[in-house]
Amino acid sequence: MNMEQSTPVVPGLVPLLDHLSGLNSAAGTHGLWRYTRIEGGANNLIYRATSPEYDTAIKWTIRDARDRAGREWAALRALAAAGLDCAPMPLFLDRDHYAQPVVVQSWVAGTVDAAPPSTDAEWQALLTHYLTIHSLTPARCAQPLLPATLNMHSVADGFARIAQQIDCLPTSARTPELRALIHAAETRDWPRWPTPRLALCRVDSNTRNFVRRAGGWASVDWESGGWGDPSFEVVDMITHPAYASVPAERWEWLIDAYANASGDAGAETRIRAYRPLMLVWWVARLARALYEVPRGGDQRLAGRNPAWQAETEAHYQRYVQLARAAV
């Protein structure tokens, strides 16, 4: 898909981008702009840049087949065109003139917390945020959007997603635990359902990507977004490492609340089928990381935590146990 470049609408933005390109500085000034590096991401370099008139987020993305900057630009434009105040406003896209593609957007003020929601009100705000995003369907959207980078529409599609990860591993790196989980999943009796309706999906439930605001939550980092089964987003959250501390009863509440509020009669069935598949996907994904990264694979713009391997191995063992119990 050919997603368009944009024309700068913020005065002085291009000279600032020229200055920042390849700089990787923690903070500084350029003309009327002040900029600060925002830590936390791995695939991108993000700056907050302010001038007397503008408050922006500048995101340099890794260059790969996903077209991260183009995807983010398209999703933000679609949300803005639909009048949905749940994400930054898109300001500028350039994928051709710098070493890394860049997408510039408005800075979203609010509170960001690494911890999952802890109160009923916070969980309701997060649920409402997802329902707002999922209200954007192809029928309401003139902006071309790609399929979401990770989503499931059926059990067969779930197995295909798992296979994408396994195919990146040589036979010798396919662990006994992973083999046993695949066998258990393949011999399980799975439900079937009609093709679900499509909606815009974020495909990134990392807690740090949600901006908690009094007037309704917003979220950032849309580089994986696109069309998909919206009920998969619940599973993406349930199985995400950032939500490991959430008790099982909260997930039961969320499944029931989402199914009722979305009006999708098949949502609960799909969520409960996608969950074990996604847990096996995580085992495969983590096994892949443990194999690839020491060999120079999975390159990123930001350096890894020195403890990444121990942390990844701990995650791997946890997901093996979760997947065994689920499949």
Side-chain angles (χ1 to χ4, degrees), residues 123-159:
W123 279 105
Q124 184 60 53
L126 181 57
L127 172 62
T128 299
H129 178 63
Y130 269 110
L131 291 168
T132 300
I133 296 167
H134 298 164
S135 71
L136 186 59
T137 62
R140 293 185 59 196
C141 182
Q143 173 73 35
L145 296 178
L146 293 165
T149 58
L150 177 61
N151 201 270
M152 297 178 186
H153 302 82
S154 65
V155 171
D157 191 41
F159 276 105

PDB file of all heavy atoms in Angstrom, residues 123-159:
ATOM      1  N   TRP A 123     -10.214   0.675  35.205  1.00  0.00           N
ATOM      2  CA  TRP A 123     -10.514  -0.403  34.265  1.00  0.00           C
ATOM      3  C   TRP A 123     -11.662  -0.007  33.325  1.00  0.00           C
ATOM      4  O   TRP A 123     -11.639  -0.323  32.141  1.00  0.00           O
ATOM      5  CB  TRP A 123     -10.851  -1.688  35.015  1.00  0.00           C
ATOM      6  CG  TRP A 123      -9.629  -2.427  35.459  1.00  0.00           C
ATOM      7  CD1 TRP A 123      -9.116  -2.519  36.717  1.00  0.00           C
ATOM      8  CD2 TRP A 123      -8.736  -3.168  34.615  1.00  0.00           C
ATOM      9  NE1 TRP A 123      -7.967  -3.260  36.719  1.00  0.00           N
ATOM     10  CE2 TRP A 123      -7.710  -3.677  35.446  1.00  0.00           C
ATOM     11  CE3 TRP A 123      -8.699  -3.452  33.259  1.00  0.00           C
ATOM     12  CZ2 TRP A 123      -6.669  -4.459  34.949  1.00  0.00           C
ATOM     13  CZ3 TRP A 123      -7.662  -4.230  32.758  1.00  0.00           C
ATOM     14  CH2 TRP A 123      -6.666  -4.728  33.592  1.00  0.00           C
ATOM     15  N   GLN A 124     -12.643   0.687  33.863  1.00  0.00           N
ATOM     16  CA  GLN A 124     -13.745   1.141  33.010  1.00  0.00           C
ATOM     17  C   GLN A 124     -13.248   2.147  31.984  1.00  0.00           C
ATOM     18  O   GLN A 124     -13.673   2.122  30.819  1.00  0.00           O
ATOM     19  CB  GLN A 124     -14.856   1.756  33.864  1.00  0.00           C
ATOM     20  CG  GLN A 124     -16.091   2.172  33.070  1.00  0.00           C
ATOM     21  CD  GLN A 124     -16.743   1.001  32.347  1.00  0.00           C
ATOM     22  OE1 GLN A 124     -17.054  -0.016  32.969  1.00  0.00           O
ATOM     23  NE2 GLN A 124     -16.955   1.120  31.036  1.00  0.00           N
ATOM     24  N   ALA A 125     -12.331   3.026  32.395  1.00  0.00           N
ATOM     25  CA  ALA A 125     -11.778   4.006  31.456  1.00  0.00           C
ATOM     26  C   ALA A 125     -10.991   3.314  30.352  1.00  0.00           C
ATOM     27  O   ALA A 125     -11.072   3.707  29.177  1.00  0.00           O
ATOM     28  CB  ALA A 125     -10.884   4.991  32.209  1.00  0.00           C
ATOM     29  N   LEU A 126     -10.235   2.272  30.707  1.00  0.00           N
ATOM     30  CA  LEU A 126      -9.487   1.534  29.694  1.00  0.00           C
ATOM     31  C   LEU A 126     -10.430   0.798  28.745  1.00  0.00           C
ATOM     32  O   LEU A 126     -10.231   0.798  27.522  1.00  0.00           O
ATOM     33  CB  LEU A 126      -8.530   0.553  30.367  1.00  0.00           C
ATOM     34  CG  LEU A 126      -7.651  -0.290  29.440  1.00  0.00           C
ATOM     35  CD1 LEU A 126      -6.809   0.595  28.527  1.00  0.00           C
ATOM     36  CD2 LEU A 126      -6.762  -1.234  30.250  1.00  0.00           C
ATOM     37  N   LEU A 127     -11.464   0.183  29.298  1.00  0.00           N
ATOM     38  CA  LEU A 127     -12.455  -0.501  28.463  1.00  0.00           C
ATOM     39  C   LEU A 127     -13.126   0.487  27.509  1.00  0.00           C
ATOM     40  O   LEU A 127     -13.276   0.207  26.309  1.00  0.00           O
ATOM     41  CB  LEU A 127     -13.501  -1.171  29.354  1.00  0.00           C
ATOM     42  CG  LEU A 127     -14.719  -1.764  28.635  1.00  0.00           C
ATOM     43  CD1 LEU A 127     -14.305  -2.865  27.673  1.00  0.00           C
ATOM     44  CD2 LEU A 127     -15.733  -2.288  29.659  1.00  0.00           C
ATOM     45  N   THR A 128     -13.522   1.642  28.015  1.00  0.00           N
ATOM     46  CA  THR A 128     -14.164   2.656  27.177  1.00  0.00           C
ATOM     47  C   THR A 128     -13.229   3.114  26.067  1.00  0.00           C
ATOM     48  O   THR A 128     -13.649   3.343  24.922  1.00  0.00           O
ATOM     49  CB  THR A 128     -14.597   3.848  28.040  1.00  0.00           C
ATOM     50  OG1 THR A 128     -15.539   3.400  29.035  1.00  0.00           O
ATOM     51  CG2 THR A 128     -15.247   4.938  27.196  1.00  0.00           C
ATOM     52  N   HIS A 129     -11.953   3.247  26.393  1.00  0.00           N
ATOM     53  CA  HIS A 129     -10.966   3.640  25.383  1.00  0.00           C
ATOM     54  C   HIS A 129     -10.917   2.618  24.249  1.00  0.00           C
ATOM     55  O   HIS A 129     -10.954   2.982  23.067  1.00  0.00           O
ATOM     56  CB  HIS A 129      -9.599   3.783  26.036  1.00  0.00           C
ATOM     57  CG  HIS A 129      -8.504   4.126  25.090  1.00  0.00           C
ATOM     58  ND1 HIS A 129      -8.472   5.293  24.362  1.00  0.00           N
ATOM     59  CD2 HIS A 129      -7.379   3.439  24.719  1.00  0.00           C
ATOM     60  CE1 HIS A 129      -7.391   5.329  23.605  1.00  0.00           C
ATOM     61  NE2 HIS A 129      -6.714   4.206  23.798  1.00  0.00           N
ATOM     62  N   TYR A 130     -10.845   1.341  24.589  1.00  0.00           N
ATOM     63  CA  TYR A 130     -10.819   0.312  23.545  1.00  0.00           C
ATOM     64  C   TYR A 130     -12.111   0.306  22.735  1.00  0.00           C
ATOM     65  O   TYR A 130     -12.082   0.153  21.504  1.00  0.00           O
ATOM     66  CB  TYR A 130     -10.582  -1.058  24.172  1.00  0.00           C
ATOM     67  CG  TYR A 130      -9.123  -1.432  24.263  1.00  0.00           C
ATOM     68  CD1 TYR A 130      -8.471  -1.484  25.485  1.00  0.00           C
ATOM     69  CD2 TYR A 130      -8.394  -1.735  23.123  1.00  0.00           C
ATOM     70  CE1 TYR A 130      -7.133  -1.837  25.572  1.00  0.00           C
ATOM     71  CE2 TYR A 130      -7.057  -2.082  23.191  1.00  0.00           C
ATOM     72  CZ  TYR A 130      -6.424  -2.132  24.421  1.00  0.00           C
ATOM     73  OH  TYR A 130      -5.104  -2.476  24.497  1.00  0.00           O
ATOM     74  N   LEU A 131     -13.233   0.457  23.388  1.00  0.00           N
ATOM     75  CA  LEU A 131     -14.504   0.471  22.661  1.00  0.00           C
ATOM     76  C   LEU A 131     -14.566   1.657  21.700  1.00  0.00           C
ATOM     77  O   LEU A 131     -15.131   1.554  20.598  1.00  0.00           O
ATOM     78  CB  LEU A 131     -15.670   0.517  23.642  1.00  0.00           C
ATOM     79  CG  LEU A 131     -15.893  -0.753  24.478  1.00  0.00           C
ATOM     80  CD1 LEU A 131     -16.869  -0.478  25.609  1.00  0.00           C
ATOM     81  CD2 LEU A 131     -16.408  -1.891  23.596  1.00  0.00           C
ATOM     82  N   THR A 132     -13.994   2.777  22.102  1.00  0.00           N
ATOM     83  CA  THR A 132     -13.945   3.947  21.218  1.00  0.00           C
ATOM     84  C   THR A 132     -13.114   3.642  19.977  1.00  0.00           C
ATOM     85  O   THR A 132     -13.522   3.928  18.845  1.00  0.00           O
ATOM     86  CB  THR A 132     -13.350   5.154  21.962  1.00  0.00           C
ATOM     87  OG1 THR A 132     -14.173   5.464  23.097  1.00  0.00           O
ATOM     88  CG2 THR A 132     -13.274   6.372  21.050  1.00  0.00           C
ATOM     89  N   ILE A 133     -11.942   3.053  20.174  1.00  0.00           N
ATOM     90  CA  ILE A 133     -11.101   2.679  19.039  1.00  0.00           C
ATOM     91  C   ILE A 133     -11.842   1.715  18.113  1.00  0.00           C
ATOM     92  O   ILE A 133     -11.845   1.863  16.892  1.00  0.00           O
ATOM     93  CB  ILE A 133      -9.797   2.030  19.538  1.00  0.00           C
ATOM     94  CG1 ILE A 133      -8.975   3.033  20.342  1.00  0.00           C
ATOM     95  CG2 ILE A 133      -8.991   1.476  18.372  1.00  0.00           C
ATOM     96  CD1 ILE A 133      -7.844   2.402  21.125  1.00  0.00           C
ATOM     97  N   HIS A 134     -12.503   0.721  18.704  1.00  0.00           N
ATOM     98  CA  HIS A 134     -13.156  -0.330  17.923  1.00  0.00           C
ATOM     99  C   HIS A 134     -14.440   0.144  17.242  1.00  0.00           C
ATOM    100  O   HIS A 134     -14.998  -0.589  16.423  1.00  0.00           O
ATOM    101  CB  HIS A 134     -13.447  -1.536  18.817  1.00  0.00           C
ATOM    102  CG  HIS A 134     -12.208  -2.163  19.374  1.00  0.00           C
ATOM    103  ND1 HIS A 134     -12.227  -3.039  20.436  1.00  0.00           N
ATOM    104  CD2 HIS A 134     -10.898  -2.033  19.006  1.00  0.00           C
ATOM    105  CE1 HIS A 134     -10.994  -3.420  20.702  1.00  0.00           C
ATOM    106  NE2 HIS A 134     -10.168  -2.825  19.859  1.00  0.00           N
ATOM    107  N   SER A 135     -14.865   1.359  17.568  1.00  0.00           N
ATOM    108  CA  SER A 135     -16.014   1.918  16.854  1.00  0.00           C
ATOM    109  C   SER A 135     -15.646   2.334  15.441  1.00  0.00           C
ATOM    110  O   SER A 135     -16.518   2.576  14.603  1.00  0.00           O
ATOM    111  CB  SER A 135     -16.590   3.120  17.616  1.00  0.00           C
ATOM    112  OG  SER A 135     -15.714   4.248  17.543  1.00  0.00           O
ATOM    113  N   LEU A 136     -14.331   2.411  15.154  1.00  0.00           N
ATOM    114  CA  LEU A 136     -13.884   2.767  13.807  1.00  0.00           C
ATOM    115  C   LEU A 136     -13.811   1.498  12.962  1.00  0.00           C
ATOM    116  O   LEU A 136     -12.941   0.652  13.148  1.00  0.00           O
ATOM    117  CB  LEU A 136     -12.526   3.451  13.854  1.00  0.00           C
ATOM    118  CG  LEU A 136     -12.016   3.999  12.515  1.00  0.00           C
ATOM    119  CD1 LEU A 136     -12.989   5.012  11.938  1.00  0.00           C
ATOM    120  CD2 LEU A 136     -10.641   4.616  12.660  1.00  0.00           C
ATOM    121  N   THR A 137     -14.737   1.360  12.032  1.00  0.00           N
ATOM    122  CA  THR A 137     -14.842   0.197  11.162  1.00  0.00           C
ATOM    123  C   THR A 137     -14.564   0.622   9.714  1.00  0.00           C
ATOM    124  O   THR A 137     -14.573   1.817   9.404  1.00  0.00           O
ATOM    125  CB  THR A 137     -16.235  -0.425  11.255  1.00  0.00           C
ATOM    126  OG1 THR A 137     -17.201   0.542  10.811  1.00  0.00           O
ATOM    127  CG2 THR A 137     -16.548  -0.843  12.697  1.00  0.00           C
ATOM    128  N   PRO A 138     -14.317  -0.319   8.813  1.00  0.00           N
ATOM    129  CA  PRO A 138     -14.083   0.056   7.417  1.00  0.00           C
ATOM    130  C   PRO A 138     -15.190   0.914   6.818  1.00  0.00           C
ATOM    131  O   PRO A 138     -14.918   1.790   5.983  1.00  0.00           O
ATOM    132  CB  PRO A 138     -13.964  -1.300   6.719  1.00  0.00           C
ATOM    133  CG  PRO A 138     -13.427  -2.214   7.774  1.00  0.00           C
ATOM    134  CD  PRO A 138     -14.080  -1.763   9.047  1.00  0.00           C
ATOM    135  N   ALA A 139     -16.436   0.701   7.265  1.00  0.00           N
ATOM    136  CA  ALA A 139     -17.550   1.482   6.730  1.00  0.00           C
ATOM    137  C   ALA A 139     -17.466   2.948   7.122  1.00  0.00           C
ATOM    138  O   ALA A 139     -18.023   3.807   6.444  1.00  0.00           O
ATOM    139  CB  ALA A 139     -18.875   0.887   7.204  1.00  0.00           C
ATOM    140  N   ARG A 140     -16.763   3.254   8.214  1.00  0.00           N
ATOM    141  CA  ARG A 140     -16.647   4.624   8.706  1.00  0.00           C
ATOM    142  C   ARG A 140     -15.341   5.280   8.308  1.00  0.00           C
ATOM    143  O   ARG A 140     -15.078   6.422   8.716  1.00  0.00           O
ATOM    144  CB  ARG A 140     -16.727   4.657  10.232  1.00  0.00           C
ATOM    145  CG  ARG A 140     -18.049   4.277  10.849  1.00  0.00           C
ATOM    146  CD  ARG A 140     -17.991   4.495  12.360  1.00  0.00           C
ATOM    147  NE  ARG A 140     -17.693   5.884  12.694  1.00  0.00           N
ATOM    148  CZ  ARG A 140     -17.275   6.294  13.898  1.00  0.00           C
ATOM    149  NH1 ARG A 140     -17.073   5.415  14.859  1.00  0.00           N
ATOM    150  NH2 ARG A 140     -17.039   7.570  14.124  1.00  0.00           N
ATOM    151  N   CYS A 141     -14.495   4.591   7.557  1.00  0.00           N
ATOM    152  CA  CYS A 141     -13.127   5.053   7.361  1.00  0.00           C
ATOM    153  C   CYS A 141     -12.793   5.158   5.881  1.00  0.00           C
ATOM    154  O   CYS A 141     -12.856   4.159   5.149  1.00  0.00           O
ATOM    155  CB  CYS A 141     -12.169   4.093   8.064  1.00  0.00           C
ATOM    156  SG  CYS A 141     -10.440   4.574   7.958  1.00  0.00           S
ATOM    157  N   ALA A 142     -12.382   6.339   5.450  1.00  0.00           N
ATOM    158  CA  ALA A 142     -11.933   6.524   4.072  1.00  0.00           C
ATOM    159  C   ALA A 142     -10.422   6.376   3.947  1.00  0.00           C
ATOM    160  O   ALA A 142      -9.898   6.254   2.842  1.00  0.00           O
ATOM    161  CB  ALA A 142     -12.353   7.913   3.580  1.00  0.00           C
ATOM    162  N   GLN A 143      -9.716   6.375   5.083  1.00  0.00           N
ATOM    163  CA  GLN A 143      -8.255   6.263   5.082  1.00  0.00           C
ATOM    164  C   GLN A 143      -7.838   4.819   4.825  1.00  0.00           C
ATOM    165  O   GLN A 143      -8.304   3.901   5.505  1.00  0.00           O
ATOM    166  CB  GLN A 143      -7.719   6.706   6.454  1.00  0.00           C
ATOM    167  CG  GLN A 143      -6.242   6.482   6.662  1.00  0.00           C
ATOM    168  CD  GLN A 143      -5.402   7.466   5.873  1.00  0.00           C
ATOM    169  OE1 GLN A 143      -5.770   8.621   5.701  1.00  0.00           O
ATOM    170  NE2 GLN A 143      -4.253   7.003   5.395  1.00  0.00           N
ATOM    171  N   PRO A 144      -6.963   4.565   3.856  1.00  0.00           N
ATOM    172  CA  PRO A 144      -6.492   3.189   3.644  1.00  0.00           C
ATOM    173  C   PRO A 144      -5.710   2.698   4.857  1.00  0.00           C
ATOM    174  O   PRO A 144      -4.806   3.375   5.344  1.00  0.00           O
ATOM    175  CB  PRO A 144      -5.581   3.311   2.418  1.00  0.00           C
ATOM    176  CG  PRO A 144      -5.950   4.597   1.769  1.00  0.00           C
ATOM    177  CD  PRO A 144      -6.401   5.503   2.866  1.00  0.00           C
ATOM    178  N   LEU A 145      -6.070   1.519   5.344  1.00  0.00           N
ATOM    179  CA  LEU A 145      -5.366   0.906   6.472  1.00  0.00           C
ATOM    180  C   LEU A 145      -5.004  -0.532   6.127  1.00  0.00           C
ATOM    181  O   LEU A 145      -5.774  -1.235   5.472  1.00  0.00           O
ATOM    182  CB  LEU A 145      -6.240   0.907   7.732  1.00  0.00           C
ATOM    183  CG  LEU A 145      -6.631   2.255   8.332  1.00  0.00           C
ATOM    184  CD1 LEU A 145      -7.538   2.039   9.548  1.00  0.00           C
ATOM    185  CD2 LEU A 145      -5.394   3.038   8.736  1.00  0.00           C
ATOM    186  N   LEU A 146      -3.842  -0.953   6.596  1.00  0.00           N
ATOM    187  CA  LEU A 146      -3.411  -2.328   6.423  1.00  0.00           C
ATOM    188  C   LEU A 146      -4.034  -3.211   7.507  1.00  0.00           C
ATOM    189  O   LEU A 146      -4.521  -2.711   8.520  1.00  0.00           O
ATOM    190  CB  LEU A 146      -1.887  -2.406   6.519  1.00  0.00           C
ATOM    191  CG  LEU A 146      -1.093  -1.740   5.402  1.00  0.00           C
ATOM    192  CD1 LEU A 146       0.364  -1.592   5.817  1.00  0.00           C
ATOM    193  CD2 LEU A 146      -1.206  -2.540   4.123  1.00  0.00           C
ATOM    194  N   PRO A 147      -3.998  -4.534   7.341  1.00  0.00           N
ATOM    195  CA  PRO A 147      -4.374  -5.414   8.449  1.00  0.00           C
ATOM    196  C   PRO A 147      -3.429  -5.200   9.632  1.00  0.00           C
ATOM    197  O   PRO A 147      -2.247  -4.868   9.446  1.00  0.00           O
ATOM    198  CB  PRO A 147      -4.215  -6.817   7.862  1.00  0.00           C
ATOM    199  CG  PRO A 147      -4.292  -6.634   6.385  1.00  0.00           C
ATOM    200  CD  PRO A 147      -3.692  -5.285   6.107  1.00  0.00           C
ATOM    201  N   ALA A 148      -3.923  -5.382  10.836  1.00  0.00           N
ATOM    202  CA  ALA A 148      -3.093  -5.279  12.031  1.00  0.00           C
ATOM    203  C   ALA A 148      -1.936  -6.272  11.941  1.00  0.00           C
ATOM    204  O   ALA A 148      -2.072  -7.360  11.374  1.00  0.00           O
ATOM    205  CB  ALA A 148      -3.931  -5.553  13.274  1.00  0.00           C
ATOM    206  N   THR A 149      -0.793  -5.905  12.506  1.00  0.00           N
ATOM    207  CA  THR A 149       0.386  -6.769  12.383  1.00  0.00           C
ATOM    208  C   THR A 149       0.229  -8.068  13.157  1.00  0.00           C
ATOM    209  O   THR A 149       0.828  -9.077  12.786  1.00  0.00           O
ATOM    210  CB  THR A 149       1.638  -6.046  12.887  1.00  0.00           C
ATOM    211  OG1 THR A 149       1.449  -5.658  14.250  1.00  0.00           O
ATOM    212  CG2 THR A 149       1.927  -4.814  12.039  1.00  0.00           C
ATOM    213  N   LEU A 150      -0.532  -8.055  14.233  1.00  0.00           N
ATOM    214  CA  LEU A 150      -0.791  -9.281  14.997  1.00  0.00           C
ATOM    215  C   LEU A 150      -2.260  -9.293  15.380  1.00  0.00           C
ATOM    216  O   LEU A 150      -2.725  -8.403  16.089  1.00  0.00           O
ATOM    217  CB  LEU A 150       0.087  -9.351  16.247  1.00  0.00           C
ATOM    218  CG  LEU A 150      -0.161 -10.554  17.152  1.00  0.00           C
ATOM    219  CD1 LEU A 150       0.112 -11.865  16.414  1.00  0.00           C
ATOM    220  CD2 LEU A 150       0.699 -10.475  18.411  1.00  0.00           C
ATOM    221  N   ASN A 151      -2.973 -10.304  14.913  1.00  0.00           N
ATOM    222  CA  ASN A 151      -4.385 -10.433  15.208  1.00  0.00           C
ATOM    223  C   ASN A 151      -4.790 -11.863  14.868  1.00  0.00           C
ATOM    224  O   ASN A 151      -4.012 -12.583  14.228  1.00  0.00           O
ATOM    225  CB  ASN A 151      -5.207  -9.424  14.398  1.00  0.00           C
ATOM    226  CG  ASN A 151      -6.579  -9.159  14.997  1.00  0.00           C
ATOM    227  OD1 ASN A 151      -7.548  -9.843  14.668  1.00  0.00           O
ATOM    228  ND2 ASN A 151      -6.659  -8.174  15.876  1.00  0.00           N
ATOM    229  N   MET A 152      -5.954 -12.271  15.306  1.00  0.00           N
ATOM    230  CA  MET A 152      -6.483 -13.582  14.959  1.00  0.00           C
ATOM    231  C   MET A 152      -7.941 -13.428  14.577  1.00  0.00           C
ATOM    232  O   MET A 152      -8.652 -12.605  15.154  1.00  0.00           O
ATOM    233  CB  MET A 152      -6.342 -14.562  16.131  1.00  0.00           C
ATOM    234  CG  MET A 152      -4.913 -14.856  16.539  1.00  0.00           C
ATOM    235  SD  MET A 152      -4.800 -15.967  17.964  1.00  0.00           S
ATOM    236  CE  MET A 152      -3.022 -15.944  18.272  1.00  0.00           C
ATOM    237  N   HIS A 153      -8.357 -14.209  13.590  1.00  0.00           N
ATOM    238  CA  HIS A 153      -9.746 -14.199  13.156  1.00  0.00           C
ATOM    239  C   HIS A 153     -10.391 -15.569  13.328  1.00  0.00           C
ATOM    240  O   HIS A 153     -11.608 -15.691  13.296  1.00  0.00           O
ATOM    241  CB  HIS A 153      -9.852 -13.784  11.686  1.00  0.00           C
ATOM    242  CG  HIS A 153      -9.267 -12.434  11.389  1.00  0.00           C
ATOM    243  ND1 HIS A 153      -7.912 -12.231  11.189  1.00  0.00           N
ATOM    244  CD2 HIS A 153      -9.854 -11.224  11.266  1.00  0.00           C
ATOM    245  CE1 HIS A 153      -7.697 -10.953  10.956  1.00  0.00           C
ATOM    246  NE2 HIS A 153      -8.860 -10.319  10.991  1.00  0.00           N
ATOM    247  N   SER A 154      -9.563 -16.592  13.471  1.00  0.00           N
ATOM    248  CA  SER A 154     -10.027 -17.966  13.584  1.00  0.00           C
ATOM    249  C   SER A 154      -8.946 -18.775  14.288  1.00  0.00           C
ATOM    250  O   SER A 154      -7.814 -18.293  14.475  1.00  0.00           O
ATOM    251  CB  SER A 154     -10.293 -18.564  12.204  1.00  0.00           C
ATOM    252  OG  SER A 154      -9.078 -18.657  11.475  1.00  0.00           O
ATOM    253  N   VAL A 155      -9.263 -20.008  14.656  1.00  0.00           N
ATOM    254  CA  VAL A 155      -8.262 -20.884  15.252  1.00  0.00           C
ATOM    255  C   VAL A 155      -7.146 -21.168  14.249  1.00  0.00           C
ATOM    256  O   VAL A 155      -5.959 -21.149  14.598  1.00  0.00           O
ATOM    257  CB  VAL A 155      -8.916 -22.187  15.744  1.00  0.00           C
ATOM    258  CG1 VAL A 155      -7.863 -23.198  16.171  1.00  0.00           C
ATOM    259  CG2 VAL A 155      -9.864 -21.896  16.904  1.00  0.00           C
ATOM    260  N   ALA A 156      -7.516 -21.406  12.991  1.00  0.00           N
ATOM    261  CA  ALA A 156      -6.501 -21.652  11.967  1.00  0.00           C
ATOM    262  C   ALA A 156      -5.564 -20.465  11.820  1.00  0.00           C
ATOM    263  O   ALA A 156      -4.342 -20.627  11.644  1.00  0.00           O
ATOM    264  CB  ALA A 156      -7.183 -21.966  10.639  1.00  0.00           C
ATOM    265  N   ASP A 157      -6.109 -19.272  11.905  1.00  0.00           N
ATOM    266  CA  ASP A 157      -5.288 -18.072  11.828  1.00  0.00           C
ATOM    267  C   ASP A 157      -4.355 -17.995  13.027  1.00  0.00           C
ATOM    268  O   ASP A 157      -3.198 -17.585  12.905  1.00  0.00           O
ATOM    269  CB  ASP A 157      -6.188 -16.833  11.765  1.00  0.00           C
ATOM    270  CG  ASP A 157      -5.409 -15.579  11.413  1.00  0.00           C
ATOM    271  OD1 ASP A 157      -4.544 -15.660  10.540  1.00  0.00           O
ATOM    272  OD2 ASP A 157      -5.680 -14.530  12.017  1.00  0.00           O
ATOM    273  N   GLY A 158      -4.839 -18.397  14.206  1.00  0.00           N
ATOM    274  CA  GLY A 158      -3.993 -18.424  15.387  1.00  0.00           C
ATOM    275  C   GLY A 158      -2.805 -19.355  15.216  1.00  0.00           C
ATOM    276  O   GLY A 158      -1.658 -19.011  15.553  1.00  0.00           O
ATOM    277  N   PHE A 159      -3.049 -20.547  14.669  1.00  0.00           N
ATOM    278  CA  PHE A 159      -1.956 -21.477  14.409  1.00  0.00           C
ATOM    279  C   PHE A 159      -0.977 -20.902  13.382  1.00  0.00           C
ATOM    280  O   PHE A 159       0.235 -21.111  13.482  1.00  0.00           O
ATOM    281  CB  PHE A 159      -2.505 -22.817  13.919  1.00  0.00           C
ATOM    282  CG  PHE A 159      -2.923 -23.737  15.035  1.00  0.00           C
ATOM    283  CD1 PHE A 159      -4.259 -23.945  15.320  1.00  0.00           C
ATOM    284  CD2 PHE A 159      -1.975 -24.378  15.816  1.00  0.00           C
ATOM    285  CE1 PHE A 159      -4.652 -24.789  16.351  1.00  0.00           C
ATOM    286  CE2 PHE A 159      -2.349 -25.226  16.852  1.00  0.00           C
ATOM    287  CZ  PHE A 159      -3.697 -25.433  17.126  1.00  0.00           C
TER     288      PHE A 159
END
